[in-house]
Amino acid sequence: MRPYRSRSCEGGRATRPIAILLGTTALSLSTCPALAQDAANPPPEAAAEEGAIVVSGIRASLSSALAQKRNADSLVEVIQAEDIGKLPDQNLAEVLENIPGIQITREAGVGTGVQIRGSNDNRTEINGVGTVGSGSGRGGISFEDVNAAIIASVEVTKAPTAMTTEGSVGGTINLRTIRPLDLRDPLLAMRVQGEFSELSRSIRPRISGSVGNKWAVGEGEFGAVLSGSYTKQDALSFRPRVDRDTLTARGTGVTATGAPGPTFDYLGIQFLNQELEDFKYETYNLAGSLEYAPSDRLKFYADGFFNKQTRRQESTRIQGSGVNTLQRTNVPATFEMVNFGTLGGIDLGSIQAAETGTLQPNVANRPNLRFSSDVGARLTESNLVRLGTEWEGGRFKARIEGTRTLSSTRNPDLSTTLNFINPRTALTGANPPNENGTPFAYDLRGGALTFGIDTASPFAPSTAQLLDPANVVFDAATVGNNKTRNVETTGRLDLTLDLKDLNGFLTSFDWGYRYNDTSTEFNEFSSNINLALMRDAPRGTLFADLLVPGPSFFNRADGRALYFGDFLIIDPKKAYSDQAGVLGKLQSALAAQPGRRVLADAAFNPASFYKITERTHAFYAQFNFERGVFSGNAGVRYINSTINSLGNAIGAGGAITQTNTPGKYQMVLPRVNLAASLTDKVMVRASFGQDVNRPNFDALKTSVRFGTGPNTAVLIGNPGLAPEKVTSYDASVSWYFAPASVLSVAVFHKRRTNLFVTQEFAPATDANGYRDFTAPCEGGGIFNPIADRNVFVPPANAGTGLCVPITTTINDTAATTQTGLEFSAQGDLSSFEDKLGFASGFGVSANFTIQKFGGGKATNTSASDSRAGDIFNASAGRPVSPVTAVQGLLDFSKYAYNVTLFYEKYGLSARARYTWRSAFRALDTAGGATLGSTLGFPVVTAARGQLNGSITYDLTENINIGVEGVNLTKSKISQYCVNDGALLCFQGLPDRRLTFGATVKF
């Protein structure tokens, strides 16, 4: 028995014959969620009838994906697993990077973000069911939370039909698991691997397995599949940061010995930060499906998915702070010329910037050395349940489905900062701060941000002094246990009327209804302390049993000689596993000080609470047609959404009043897809469609959260945000010039109205670099009562409470456009086996994307950093401040390509993939830098390529061994302020990881 294929399924083509027959080992799933026979596993008699070439492994998976794409009504990209649990990459984001028009972003070398045609605003589904994330975003489950080993195929719908659930700009990503009734044989497979991280020098396990079967039950069939995985991973990356955003006017600077400085303007060192990102992942995944088809006209199904993610952070930050006070007393030894280029139509000219030199403690208590340990964790549990039935009677088909997805996240945090008290310099002042001077050296030549202690200075501490608990004091701590809960419940009814044989054009009519109820709730549990004065700060001797030497291998990535290698931190493992014990020790140490400051346990902060609910009713109607060489669909989707943003208003005396801000909107979204098989080998497609992009939930909140950093911007929600409307046009032509081979070109154009743009508004800073530290911040920004004043106030006013920047999201008042071309090619030499022999196992898959962004009025401005205006006036040689420029899309690369060379023959399977993307603007920066510290504009991440590869070998029919590598060339990341290649601000030095192991299947 073969269950029917519903003509109403999204992207499905029931009547068009599959042109390329596929091999017996690849996994393939139809675009229909529950009913399709596995296209990659046709019955043996079908293969005989069509004279198919039987292939397996990489070639089979590419062929299967190509057939599904060719057979779809709309523009769909597909990646098939080449065997059980064997997608081409270990990380799902990197799997998606194989698709034309997709680029990814990484955190500590791990793929986390996906941009489809330049947009981060996409939808992620599992088996056609929308997922919810661990935070406030709309994109769905995080890609690092799902092990690629339990996914059978990945589909990306770039051109939706009227049936396609709304809510994406670039496309919808659907992760499909194995369908039990598609199994031809009992399934039993296990994969055991170890992942070696070169930077952490650790080996962590990756274990996955699947079991399944189907049985004849009376006249029908029953099937069950269960897939599970357990993964541990160390993700390590080094991210040095150097701020050179302090202008020293010509003739005003002197060297540390008092000699006159240069007679030109230059940028001095303002801040140094040595950050080591260290994330420890532990991931459990479980996916299961039950299917029961009592007849070929009726089917019941149930799907479940469970994820448990522990993402523990053991990162460190070593800071050279208070450096800006030395701008006129420590002239650099050498300079480099920085060309800022053009921004907002203004030529910003060039300026000299510090390149090498030292920073000596010849200003009271400056520069000072700080050691921070960041131990924030993300503990997420997610689950998804889908129940449904499908029925066919005569010309009528129906599907009823209900789903519920839940994500519950807790963020335990005990992050601490220690100040180093250099015994070789003095604490000064009648009421001295809890810091004093340490000499630094820096060398920024050759595109490397290297710095550390100036060991040649007479004020340089020894290694023993740096590691002595008596020479550190407790400076600050953040305690947290925030909780986020996201829930989405849906119910849908899909109906199809078969119109074939009733006319010569229309094949079917689809219509249906979908109800969606989504909610997110955030509760903050926190406490913090900032100790500015020595009388409040306990010495490390009072909590010495908590102190451990920090990681001393910051040179492991690139062999640098200059770095901070000796320092103490509060043990991050204890801070995570025994938060109460560590807190108790610190609280006792604080109580022994004259200031008797208190670090409390984490407590509920009602001012930060928010709960946002959204309910949507969606109706659609769609005609499907086919005549001659033409086929396609045309329909419309109508949505009606209501939103309520609930928050707490804190009044006099702490009185809490809940406030609710409602919103409502309706949209009509037409969608048309047309395909034409001009010949047996040439297919042309064209699509038109509209979609809606809803704002992230935290962008709609009415509550306010404060951080402890003096530069940490406070997010102010905007519940009045309107949703974006996206109008898309697509066209493509594909030439299937040989079996499993294709050349194609696609063009797309998107027009977006109400584009979401993040804006930052900074407080004013006076000539001394000081800010207002009292409410209501008349000079801009918002008063943060817990912010460390740091160097932004005179030393006599040290403490907490400062005016800090504000960020918020607005709708761009002008329309924006995204236009691009995608080129792709795929082919192999298998048909030349008789002539080439061994070499016939080679094949290639490649794609190239070019795109551009246009329009928009919302701008960034140099006014976000009060120092930027003086810098640009000096570099341009004339008054140009403030400088403004349209922000455009973040994480948007103009060019991107990837090339995969593969070989498969004699049981050997090898793959090498090189991926490259051009420069793009981003808010992802090192050390918590904001727009205010990047001269007012998002940084530019320079063009970068990465090489991944794998080699596997079939020892027997059932046992395969292999090794895979990520970032084999250890490609580094460079980020520039203002423009690409201008002022180098941040670096990223990610890991190289190797995974080795074996797969056993029966």
Side-chain angles (χ1 to χ4, degrees):
M1 182 203 75
R2 293 185 61 183
Y4 74 90
R5 176 179 296 176
S6 171
R7 183 62 179 79
S8 67
C9 295
E10 296 176 19
R13 291 283 303 152
T15 57
R16 183 184 302 145
I18 297 178
I20 301 175
L21 294 178
L22 310 166
T24 59
T25 63
L27 290 174
S28 176
L29 296 173
S30 163
T31 52
C32 298
L35 299 181
Q37 175 72 24
D38 188 344
N41 294 302
E45 64 270 22
E49 291 173 0
E50 299 290 343
I53 298 173
V54 178
V55 295
S56 62
I58 296 174
R59 295 208 317 269
S61 65
L62 292 174
S63 298
S64 174
L66 191 62
Q68 187 170 328
K69 176 180 178 179
R70 183 176 183 178
N71 206 42
D73 276 341
S74 63
L75 181 54
V76 177
E77 306 280 0
V78 183
I79 297 178
Q80 304 280 4
E82 61 193 69
D83 208 335
I84 301 295
K86 199 175 180 184
L87 282 167
D89 297 279
Q90 298 278 357
N91 176 271
L92 279 173
E94 292 188 344
V95 171
L96 288 160
E97 198 175 23
N98 289 276
I99 292 176
I102 291 185
Q103 296 91 47
I104 73 170
T105 49
R106 297 174 172 87
E107 185 174 11
V110 175
T112 55
V114 171
Q115 297 84 51
I116 303 177
R117 292 178 164 178
S119 176
N120 285 301
D121 300 310
N122 306 299
R123 176 179 167 85
T124 301
E125 302 176 339
I126 296 178
N127 291 327
V129 178
T131 60
V132 293
S134 58
S136 60
R138 292 279 191 168
I141 194 167
S142 300
F143 290 107
E144 68 265 34
D145 288 7
V146 183
N147 190 339
I150 70 167
I151 301 301
S153 69
V154 178
E155 301 170 359
V156 178
T157 301
K158 294 179 178 178
T161 68
M163 296 181 63
T164 307
T165 302
E166 75 283 350
S168 72
V169 176
T172 297
I173 301 164
N174 190 19
L175 311 176
R176 293 200 176 276
T177 59
I178 303 169
R179 308 310 307 166
L181 291 185
D182 288 343
L183 295 174
R184 297 184 58 224
D185 298 301
L187 168 64
L188 180 61
M190 175 168 282
R191 195 179 192 190
V192 179
Q193 298 175 304
E195 182 177 86
F196 172 69
S197 167
E198 185 173 305
L199 294 182
S200 65
R201 296 181 180 173
S202 62
I203 298 177
R204 296 289 182 256
R206 304 181 71 94
I207 303 170
S208 61
S210 297
V211 58
N213 201 359
K214 66 179 180 181
W215 302 268
V217 181
E219 295 295 322
E221 287 183 322
F222 175 79
V225 168
L226 184 66
S227 298
S229 68
Y230 171 74
T231 303
K232 296 188 76 172
Q233 183 178 43
D234 287 346
L236 209 65
S237 178
F238 302 124
R239 300 197 71 185
R241 165 188 172 185
V242 176
D243 291 0
R244 289 178 284 177
D245 58 351
T246 300
L247 178 69
T248 302
R250 64 191 67 191
T252 62
V254 297
T255 67
T257 60
T263 58
F264 52 78
D265 299 329
Y266 68 88
L267 303 181
I269 305 293
Q270 198 270 337
F271 184 68
L272 303 171
N273 188 82
Q274 174 181 295
E275 181 176 16
L276 188 156
E277 294 180 316
D278 187 2
F279 297 102
K280 314 282 187 184
Y281 290 88
E282 185 175 30
T283 308
Y284 297 84
N285 286 156
L286 194 65
S289 296
L290 301 174
E291 293 182 323
Y292 172 50
S295 71
D296 59 0
R297 294 181 177 274
L298 180 62
K299 182 176 183 179
F300 301 92
Y301 56 89
D303 290 345
F305 172 83
F306 172 78
N307 158 252
K308 182 179 180 181
Q309 175 71 284
T310 298
R311 182 180 183 267
R312 181 163 55 91
Q313 187 175 6
E314 292 185 5
S315 301
T316 57
R317 287 176 293 117
I318 315 305
Q319 303 168 54
S321 188
V323 177
N324 63 314
T325 58
L326 307 175
Q327 61 175 318
R328 293 184 178 88
T329 61
N330 279 256
V331 171
T334 64
F335 300 87
E336 64 171 329
M337 181 65 75
V338 172
N339 186 343
F340 281 126
T342 300
L343 198 62
I346 298 175
D347 185 355
L348 297 178
S350 302
I351 195 169
Q352 298 279 4
E355 184 181 52
T356 65
T358 65
L359 301 166
Q360 302 299 326
N362 54 10
V363 174
N365 299 323
R366 299 287 191 271
N368 56 282
L369 185 59
R370 293 181 172 175
F371 312 142
S372 294
S373 176
D374 298 324
V375 193
R378 175 170 70 84
L379 311 181
T380 299
E381 287 193 10
S382 304
N383 60 68
L384 178 153
V385 176
R386 178 175 78 138
L387 300 173
T389 182
E390 297 181 343
W391 171 80
E392 177 182 1
R395 292 183 177 273
F396 185 73
K397 301 173 186 178
R399 177 177 66 163
I400 301 174
E401 182 176 286
T403 68
R404 182 178 184 270
T405 59
L406 166 70
S407 175
S408 180
T409 298
R410 187 167 61 87
N411 298 106
D413 183 14
L414 178 49
S415 296
T416 53
T417 297
L418 308 175
N419 274 352
F420 177 67
I421 307 300
N422 186 0
R424 295 190 175 176
T425 57
L427 283 164
T428 60
N431 193 11
N434 66 347
E435 57 193 27
N436 70 339
T438 301
F440 302 141
Y442 58 92
D443 186 343
L444 313 182
R445 292 174 295 183
L449 301 177
T450 65
F451 48 86
I453 290 176
D454 179 17
T455 56
S457 171
F459 303 108
S462 66
T463 297
Q465 290 170 332
L466 286 163
L467 298 176
D468 186 348
N471 292 330
V472 296
V473 296
F474 182 43
D475 175 65
T478 297
V479 187
N481 196 14
N482 300 336
K483 297 178 181 179
T484 305
R485 178 182 170 87
N486 296 320
V487 184
E488 182 172 283
T489 303
T490 67
R492 64 182 300 166
L493 172 65
D494 299 291
L495 304 168
T496 297
L497 178 63
D498 187 351
L499 301 177
K500 290 191 296 290
D501 304 326
L502 298 180
N503 63 83
F505 179 61
L506 297 178
T507 58
S508 63
F509 175 63
D510 301 323
W511 74 103
Y513 165 74
R514 181 178 184 269
Y515 171 76
N516 181 84
D517 188 325
T518 303
S519 68
T520 182
E521 180 175 339
F522 174 80
N523 290 280
E524 179 182 355
F525 295 83
S526 64
S527 175
N528 59 80
I529 193 170
N530 286 287
L531 309 171
L533 302 178
M534 196 66 189
R535 70 185 183 196
D536 299 326
R539 290 270 179 171
T541 49
L542 294 178
F543 50 94
D545 55 331
L546 300 180
L547 299 176
V548 296
S552 60
F553 53 83
F554 202 84
N555 64 331
R556 192 173 286 176
D558 61 359
R560 63 182 57 203
L562 187 58
Y563 63 99
F564 296 116
D566 300 301
F567 54 93
L568 290 173
I569 55 173
I570 291 178
D571 188 347
K573 292 181 173 59
K574 285 185 178 179
Y576 175 75
S577 62
D578 184 20
Q579 186 183 94
V582 173
L583 268 176
K585 194 74 175 179
L586 294 175
Q587 288 164 343
S588 297
L590 285 164
Q593 297 305 112
R596 300 185 66 83
R597 296 285 302 278
V598 175
L599 172 59
D601 293 340
F604 176 60
N605 179 6
S608 298
F609 161 83
Y610 66 86
K611 182 176 183 178
I612 298 173
T613 58
E614 179 181 85
R615 294 180 177 88
T616 298
H617 300 272
F619 302 86
Y620 74 88
Q622 172 178 304
F623 281 102
N624 306 291
F625 54 86
E626 184 169 9
R627 184 166 185 175
V629 300
F630 296 100
S631 62
N633 56 73
V636 65
R637 189 174 188 89
Y638 167 78
I639 61 170
N640 186 319
S641 294
T642 58
I643 301 174
N644 287 284
S645 178
L646 185 67
N648 288 336
I650 310 301
I656 300 174
T657 303
Q658 285 203 331
T659 61
N660 182 63
T661 305
K664 186 175 183 179
Y665 58 89
Q666 302 88 33
M667 284 191 178
V668 177
L669 307 173
R671 296 170 180 180
V672 179
N673 293 275
L674 177 66
S677 298
L678 300 184
T679 71
D680 289 342
K681 295 183 178 182
V682 178
M683 177 170 286
V684 175
R685 296 182 185 276
S687 300
F688 163 79
Q690 291 187 334
D691 213 325
V692 60
N693 182 35
R694 300 177 173 101
N696 287 339
F697 288 113
D698 62 350
L700 299 171
K701 69 178 185 176
T702 57
S703 59
V704 177
R705 288 187 65 200
F706 293 111
T708 58
N711 286 314
T712 303
V714 174
L715 174 62
I716 304 294
N718 181 3
L721 277 175
E724 293 182 18
K725 190 169 186 178
V726 185
T727 302
S728 300
Y729 305 85
D730 293 89
S732 66
V733 57
S734 300
W735 175 36
Y736 301 89
F737 59 90
S741 302
V742 67
L743 289 173
S744 69
V745 59
V747 59
F748 64 88
H749 177 77
K750 295 181 181 292
R751 184 179 187 273
R752 300 168 68 173
T753 56
N754 295 324
L755 181 74
F756 305 133
V757 180
T758 300
Q759 300 279 274
E760 182 169 314
F761 305 95
T765 303
D766 66 21
N768 296 313
Y770 297 147
R771 295 184 197 157
D772 187 0
F773 55 92
T774 60
C777 300
E778 293 86 349
I782 186 173
F783 181 72
N784 181 346
I786 65 173
D788 184 356
R789 292 176 181 172
N790 204 317
V791 297
F792 292 101
V793 298
N797 298 116
T800 57
L802 186 69
C803 294
V804 300
I806 294 171
T807 63
T808 192
T809 302
I810 65 169
N811 290 120
D812 199 322
T813 57
T816 62
T817 59
Q818 297 159 236
T819 304
L821 287 170
E822 297 170 350
F823 304 90
S824 59
Q826 176 180 309
D828 61 57
L829 301 176
S830 59
S831 58
F832 300 97
E833 183 172 8
D834 293 342
K835 295 181 179 180
L836 299 179
F838 173 84
S840 65
F842 283 103
V844 65
S845 176
N847 61 71
F848 172 75
T849 302
I850 178 173
Q851 56 188 354
K852 66 178 182 178
F853 172 87
K857 287 186 177 179
T859 60
N860 298 120
T861 174
S862 60
S864 293
D865 183 347
S866 59
R867 293 173 292 226
D870 292 338
I871 291 172
F872 292 148
N873 290 340
S875 62
R878 64 190 190 281
V880 296
S881 180
V883 177
T884 61
V886 173
Q887 176 174 293
L889 289 180
L890 300 176
D891 304 318
F892 182 91
S893 290
K894 186 174 181 179
Y895 305 103
Y897 70 83
N898 73 68
V899 179
T900 299
L901 179 67
F902 61 88
Y903 180 84
E904 189 167 56
K905 204 170 182 63
Y906 310 125
L908 178 67
S909 178
R911 185 195 323 256
R913 177 167 63 90
Y914 184 77
T915 303
W916 179 90
R917 66 181 298 183
S918 63
F920 59 92
R921 290 199 178 273
L923 295 177
D924 174 35
T925 55
T930 64
L931 287 175
S933 52
T934 58
L935 300 179
F937 302 93
V939 296
V940 178
T941 301
R944 176 181 181 268
Q946 179 165 311
L947 178 65
N948 297 352
S950 66
I951 301 176
T952 66
Y953 180 71
D954 293 329
L955 287 179
T956 69
E957 184 179 351
N958 298 322
I959 301 176
N960 175 275
I961 60 173
V963 60
E964 303 174 42
V966 175
N967 195 23
L968 293 173
T969 58
K970 296 178 68 173
S971 177
K972 69 180 182 179
I973 300 166
S974 297
Q975 293 183 298
Y976 295 89
C977 287
V978 185
N979 274 316
D980 188 22
L983 186 67
L984 183 62
C985 298
F986 316 101
Q987 273 189 290
L989 306 171
D991 209 349
R992 173 164 54 199
R993 300 193 302 275
L994 300 175
T995 303
F996 53 91
T999 301
V1000 181
K1001 60 179 180 179
F1002 302 95

